[in-house]
PDB file of all heavy atoms in Angstrom:
ATOM      1  N   TYR A  26     -18.091 -37.649 -20.788  1.00 74.00           N
ATOM      2  CA  TYR A  26     -18.971 -36.778 -19.998  1.00 74.00           C
ATOM      3  C   TYR A  26     -18.617 -35.300 -20.157  1.00 74.00           C
ATOM      4  O   TYR A  26     -19.464 -34.410 -19.974  1.00 74.00           O
ATOM      5  CB  TYR A  26     -18.907 -37.163 -18.519  1.00 74.00           C
ATOM      6  CG  TYR A  26     -17.577 -36.933 -17.854  1.00 74.00           C
ATOM      7  CD1 TYR A  26     -17.286 -35.737 -17.209  1.00 74.00           C
ATOM      8  CD2 TYR A  26     -16.581 -37.927 -17.867  1.00 74.00           C
ATOM      9  CE1 TYR A  26     -16.063 -35.522 -16.598  1.00 74.00           C
ATOM     10  CE2 TYR A  26     -15.349 -37.716 -17.268  1.00 74.00           C
ATOM     11  CZ  TYR A  26     -15.101 -36.523 -16.640  1.00 74.00           C
ATOM     12  OH  TYR A  26     -13.894 -36.313 -16.044  1.00 74.00           O
ATOM     13  N   THR A  60       1.578 -32.578 -29.851  1.00 85.00           N
ATOM     14  CA  THR A  60       0.959 -31.445 -29.162  1.00 85.00           C
ATOM     15  C   THR A  60       0.403 -31.851 -27.814  1.00 85.00           C
ATOM     16  O   THR A  60       0.573 -31.150 -26.806  1.00 85.00           O
ATOM     17  CB  THR A  60      -0.171 -30.850 -30.021  1.00 85.00           C
ATOM     18  OG1 THR A  60       0.350 -30.514 -31.313  1.00 85.00           O
ATOM     19  CG2 THR A  60      -0.751 -29.596 -29.369  1.00 85.00           C
ATOM     20  N   VAL A  75      -4.534 -28.341 -12.498  1.00 76.00           N
ATOM     21  CA  VAL A  75      -4.866 -29.763 -12.618  1.00 76.00           C
ATOM     22  C   VAL A  75      -4.853 -30.428 -11.236  1.00 76.00           C
ATOM     23  O   VAL A  75      -3.957 -30.159 -10.436  1.00 76.00           O
ATOM     24  CB  VAL A  75      -3.840 -30.476 -13.547  1.00 76.00           C
ATOM     25  CG1 VAL A  75      -4.198 -31.942 -13.720  1.00 76.00           C
ATOM     26  CG2 VAL A  75      -3.788 -29.774 -14.900  1.00 76.00           C
ATOM     27  N   LEU A  83       0.627 -37.753 -15.014  1.00 83.00           N
ATOM     28  CA  LEU A  83       1.217 -36.979 -16.115  1.00 83.00           C
ATOM     29  C   LEU A  83       2.727 -36.852 -15.981  1.00 83.00           C
ATOM     30  O   LEU A  83       3.432 -36.667 -16.974  1.00 83.00           O
ATOM     31  CB  LEU A  83       0.585 -35.590 -16.189  1.00 83.00           C
ATOM     32  CG  LEU A  83      -0.902 -35.530 -16.580  1.00 83.00           C
ATOM     33  CD1 LEU A  83      -1.354 -34.076 -16.690  1.00 83.00           C
ATOM     34  CD2 LEU A  83      -1.156 -36.263 -17.889  1.00 83.00           C
ATOM     35  N   ASP A  96      17.757 -38.590 -44.775  1.00 96.00           N
ATOM     36  CA  ASP A  96      17.374 -37.943 -46.038  1.00 96.00           C
ATOM     37  C   ASP A  96      16.430 -36.771 -45.772  1.00 96.00           C
ATOM     38  O   ASP A  96      16.547 -35.708 -46.400  1.00 96.00           O
ATOM     39  CB  ASP A  96      16.694 -38.948 -46.977  1.00 96.00           C
ATOM     40  CG  ASP A  96      17.686 -39.938 -47.565  1.00 96.00           C
ATOM     41  OD1 ASP A  96      18.888 -39.612 -47.571  1.00 96.00           O
ATOM     42  OD2 ASP A  96      17.269 -41.024 -47.990  1.00 96.00           O
ATOM     43  N   ILE A 129      25.394 -34.756 -34.872  1.00 97.00           N
ATOM     44  CA  ILE A 129      26.733 -34.181 -34.722  1.00 97.00           C
ATOM     45  C   ILE A 129      27.244 -33.797 -36.106  1.00 97.00           C
ATOM     46  O   ILE A 129      27.171 -34.581 -37.048  1.00 97.00           O
ATOM     47  CB  ILE A 129      27.702 -35.180 -34.064  1.00 97.00           C
ATOM     48  CG1 ILE A 129      27.300 -35.414 -32.607  1.00 97.00           C
ATOM     49  CG2 ILE A 129      29.132 -34.654 -34.128  1.00 97.00           C
ATOM     50  CD1 ILE A 129      28.161 -36.435 -31.897  1.00 97.00           C
ATOM     51  N   ARG A 235      28.731 -35.634 -20.302  1.00 92.00           N
ATOM     52  CA  ARG A 235      27.622 -36.567 -20.096  1.00 92.00           C
ATOM     53  C   ARG A 235      26.526 -35.894 -19.285  1.00 92.00           C
ATOM     54  O   ARG A 235      26.790 -35.029 -18.459  1.00 92.00           O
ATOM     55  CB  ARG A 235      28.120 -37.818 -19.361  1.00 92.00           C
ATOM     56  CG  ARG A 235      29.012 -38.721 -20.213  1.00 92.00           C
ATOM     57  CD  ARG A 235      29.566 -39.866 -19.387  1.00 92.00           C
ATOM     58  NE  ARG A 235      30.509 -39.394 -18.380  1.00 92.00           N
ATOM     59  CZ  ARG A 235      31.038 -40.174 -17.439  1.00 92.00           C
ATOM     60  NH1 ARG A 235      30.690 -41.447 -17.359  1.00 92.00           N
ATOM     61  NH2 ARG A 235      31.904 -39.678 -16.566  1.00 92.00           N
ATOM     62  N   ARG A 250      31.474 -34.060  -5.534  1.00 92.00           N
ATOM     63  CA  ARG A 250      30.021 -34.001  -5.701  1.00 92.00           C
ATOM     64  C   ARG A 250      29.422 -32.838  -4.906  1.00 92.00           C
ATOM     65  O   ARG A 250      28.497 -32.174  -5.353  1.00 92.00           O
ATOM     66  CB  ARG A 250      29.377 -35.317  -5.286  1.00 92.00           C
ATOM     67  CG  ARG A 250      29.453 -36.391  -6.376  1.00 92.00           C
ATOM     68  CD  ARG A 250      28.708 -37.621  -5.959  1.00 92.00           C
ATOM     69  NE  ARG A 250      29.529 -38.495  -5.129  1.00 92.00           N
ATOM     70  CZ  ARG A 250      29.100 -39.194  -4.093  1.00 92.00           C
ATOM     71  NH1 ARG A 250      27.847 -39.092  -3.701  1.00 92.00           N
ATOM     72  NH2 ARG A 250      29.908 -39.975  -3.420  1.00 92.00           N
ATOM     73  N   LEU A 257      26.054 -25.850  -8.699  1.00 93.00           N
ATOM     74  CA  LEU A 257      24.807 -25.920  -9.459  1.00 93.00           C
ATOM     75  C   LEU A 257      23.709 -25.097  -8.784  1.00 93.00           C
ATOM     76  O   LEU A 257      22.983 -24.339  -9.442  1.00 93.00           O
ATOM     77  CB  LEU A 257      24.361 -27.378  -9.605  1.00 93.00           C
ATOM     78  CG  LEU A 257      23.113 -27.638 -10.453  1.00 93.00           C
ATOM     79  CD1 LEU A 257      23.330 -27.140 -11.870  1.00 93.00           C
ATOM     80  CD2 LEU A 257      22.774 -29.132 -10.452  1.00 93.00           C
ATOM     81  N   GLN A 264      20.913 -16.843 -11.014  1.00 91.00           N
ATOM     82  CA  GLN A 264      20.092 -16.538 -12.185  1.00 91.00           C
ATOM     83  C   GLN A 264      18.735 -15.981 -11.764  1.00 91.00           C
ATOM     84  O   GLN A 264      18.254 -14.972 -12.282  1.00 91.00           O
ATOM     85  CB  GLN A 264      19.864 -17.795 -13.023  1.00 91.00           C
ATOM     86  CG  GLN A 264      21.057 -18.309 -13.798  1.00 91.00           C
ATOM     87  CD  GLN A 264      20.707 -19.576 -14.559  1.00 91.00           C
ATOM     88  OE1 GLN A 264      20.014 -19.538 -15.573  1.00 91.00           O
ATOM     89  NE2 GLN A 264      21.169 -20.716 -14.056  1.00 91.00           N
ATOM     90  N   PRO A 277      17.584 -33.629 -15.481  1.00 88.00           N
ATOM     91  CA  PRO A 277      18.913 -34.260 -15.587  1.00 88.00           C
ATOM     92  C   PRO A 277      19.459 -34.395 -17.006  1.00 88.00           C
ATOM     93  O   PRO A 277      20.672 -34.468 -17.191  1.00 88.00           O
ATOM     94  CB  PRO A 277      18.687 -35.639 -14.957  1.00 88.00           C
ATOM     95  CG  PRO A 277      17.562 -35.426 -13.996  1.00 88.00           C
ATOM     96  CD  PRO A 277      16.660 -34.433 -14.657  1.00 88.00           C
ATOM     97  N   LYS A 301      12.285  -7.238 -10.974  1.00 86.00           N
ATOM     98  CA  LYS A 301      12.789  -6.981  -9.622  1.00 86.00           C
ATOM     99  C   LYS A 301      11.667  -7.110  -8.602  1.00 86.00           C
ATOM    100  O   LYS A 301      11.852  -7.678  -7.521  1.00 86.00           O
ATOM    101  CB  LYS A 301      13.404  -5.583  -9.579  1.00 86.00           C
ATOM    102  CG  LYS A 301      14.070  -5.230  -8.257  1.00 86.00           C
ATOM    103  CD  LYS A 301      14.694  -3.844  -8.323  1.00 86.00           C
ATOM    104  CE  LYS A 301      15.360  -3.476  -7.011  1.00 86.00           C
ATOM    105  NZ  LYS A 301      15.961  -2.119  -7.064  1.00 86.00           N
ATOM    106  N   ASN A 309       9.402 -12.546  -0.341  1.00 82.00           N
ATOM    107  CA  ASN A 309       8.535 -12.304   0.812  1.00 82.00           C
ATOM    108  C   ASN A 309       7.613 -13.486   1.077  1.00 82.00           C
ATOM    109  O   ASN A 309       7.313 -13.802   2.234  1.00 82.00           O
ATOM    110  CB  ASN A 309       7.712 -11.036   0.586  1.00 82.00           C
ATOM    111  CG  ASN A 309       8.490  -9.776   0.915  1.00 82.00           C
ATOM    112  OD1 ASN A 309       9.244  -9.748   1.882  1.00 82.00           O
ATOM    113  ND2 ASN A 309       8.345  -8.745   0.104  1.00 82.00           N
ATOM    114  N   ARG A 321       2.869 -11.250   6.228  1.00 80.00           N
ATOM    115  CA  ARG A 321       3.806 -11.138   5.100  1.00 80.00           C
ATOM    116  C   ARG A 321       3.406 -12.102   3.986  1.00 80.00           C
ATOM    117  O   ARG A 321       3.449 -11.757   2.797  1.00 80.00           O
ATOM    118  CB  ARG A 321       5.233 -11.445   5.564  1.00 80.00           C
ATOM    119  CG  ARG A 321       6.277 -11.292   4.461  1.00 80.00           C
ATOM    120  CD  ARG A 321       7.578 -11.966   4.849  1.00 80.00           C
ATOM    121  NE  ARG A 321       8.272 -11.257   5.906  1.00 80.00           N
ATOM    122  CZ  ARG A 321       9.263 -10.397   5.701  1.00 80.00           C
ATOM    123  NH1 ARG A 321       9.661 -10.150   4.476  1.00 80.00           N
ATOM    124  NH2 ARG A 321       9.851  -9.812   6.708  1.00 80.00           N
ATOM    125  N   ARG A 389       8.769 -24.676 -10.649  1.00 84.00           N
ATOM    126  CA  ARG A 389       9.179 -25.869 -11.397  1.00 84.00           C
ATOM    127  C   ARG A 389      10.700 -25.986 -11.443  1.00 84.00           C
ATOM    128  O   ARG A 389      11.262 -27.076 -11.249  1.00 84.00           O
ATOM    129  CB  ARG A 389       8.625 -25.792 -12.824  1.00 84.00           C
ATOM    130  CG  ARG A 389       9.044 -26.951 -13.730  1.00 84.00           C
ATOM    131  CD  ARG A 389       8.469 -26.773 -15.129  1.00 84.00           C
ATOM    132  NE  ARG A 389       8.722 -27.937 -15.950  1.00 84.00           N
ATOM    133  CZ  ARG A 389       9.814 -28.117 -16.675  1.00 84.00           C
ATOM    134  NH1 ARG A 389      10.765 -27.193 -16.659  1.00 84.00           N
ATOM    135  NH2 ARG A 389       9.968 -29.211 -17.402  1.00 84.00           N
ATOM    136  N   PRO A 447      21.678  27.704  18.049  1.00 61.00           N
ATOM    137  CA  PRO A 447      22.562  28.389  19.018  1.00 61.00           C
ATOM    138  C   PRO A 447      22.627  29.894  18.794  1.00 61.00           C
ATOM    139  O   PRO A 447      22.639  30.678  19.750  1.00 61.00           O
ATOM    140  CB  PRO A 447      23.925  27.730  18.775  1.00 61.00           C
ATOM    141  CG  PRO A 447      23.581  26.393  18.198  1.00 61.00           C
ATOM    142  CD  PRO A 447      22.396  26.637  17.346  1.00 61.00           C
ATOM    143  N   GLU A 451      21.481  32.622  21.460  1.00 61.00           N
ATOM    144  CA  GLU A 451      22.443  33.615  21.955  1.00 61.00           C
ATOM    145  C   GLU A 451      21.888  35.023  21.820  1.00 61.00           C
ATOM    146  O   GLU A 451      22.038  35.877  22.718  1.00 61.00           O
ATOM    147  CB  GLU A 451      23.752  33.497  21.167  1.00 61.00           C
ATOM    148  CG  GLU A 451      24.835  34.448  21.662  1.00 61.00           C
ATOM    149  CD  GLU A 451      26.115  34.317  20.852  1.00 61.00           C
ATOM    150  OE1 GLU A 451      26.134  33.493  19.907  1.00 61.00           O
ATOM    151  OE2 GLU A 451      27.083  35.039  21.145  1.00 61.00           O
ATOM    152  N   TYR A 520      22.198  -8.559  13.936  1.00 55.00           N
ATOM    153  CA  TYR A 520      22.553  -7.421  13.083  1.00 55.00           C
ATOM    154  C   TYR A 520      21.322  -6.822  12.408  1.00 55.00           C
ATOM    155  O   TYR A 520      21.086  -5.611  12.444  1.00 55.00           O
ATOM    156  CB  TYR A 520      23.572  -7.882  12.024  1.00 55.00           C
ATOM    157  CG  TYR A 520      24.131  -6.733  11.208  1.00 55.00           C
ATOM    158  CD1 TYR A 520      25.263  -6.036  11.620  1.00 55.00           C
ATOM    159  CD2 TYR A 520      23.515  -6.344  10.020  1.00 55.00           C
ATOM    160  CE1 TYR A 520      25.767  -4.979  10.875  1.00 55.00           C
ATOM    161  CE2 TYR A 520      24.020  -5.294   9.271  1.00 55.00           C
ATOM    162  CZ  TYR A 520      25.142  -4.625   9.698  1.00 55.00           C
ATOM    163  OH  TYR A 520      25.628  -3.598   8.960  1.00 55.00           O
ATOM    164  N   ILE A 543       4.898  21.246  14.312  1.00 55.00           N
ATOM    165  CA  ILE A 543       3.492  21.542  14.014  1.00 55.00           C
ATOM    166  C   ILE A 543       2.848  22.316  15.159  1.00 55.00           C
ATOM    167  O   ILE A 543       2.124  23.285  14.958  1.00 55.00           O
ATOM    168  CB  ILE A 543       2.718  20.242  13.737  1.00 55.00           C
ATOM    169  CG1 ILE A 543       3.205  19.629  12.414  1.00 55.00           C
ATOM    170  CG2 ILE A 543       1.221  20.499  13.676  1.00 55.00           C
ATOM    171  CD1 ILE A 543       2.674  18.241  12.147  1.00 55.00           C
TER     172      ILE A 543
END
Side-chain angles (χ1 to χ4, degrees):
Y26 66 91
T60 305
V75 182
L83 293 183
D96 287 339
I129 292 177
R235 289 175 292 173
R250 279 185 276 142
L257 184 60
Q264 288 179 74
K301 185 178 180 181
N309 278 321
R321 182 196 289 263
R389 177 181 187 272
E451 183 181 1
Y520 187 89
I543 292 171

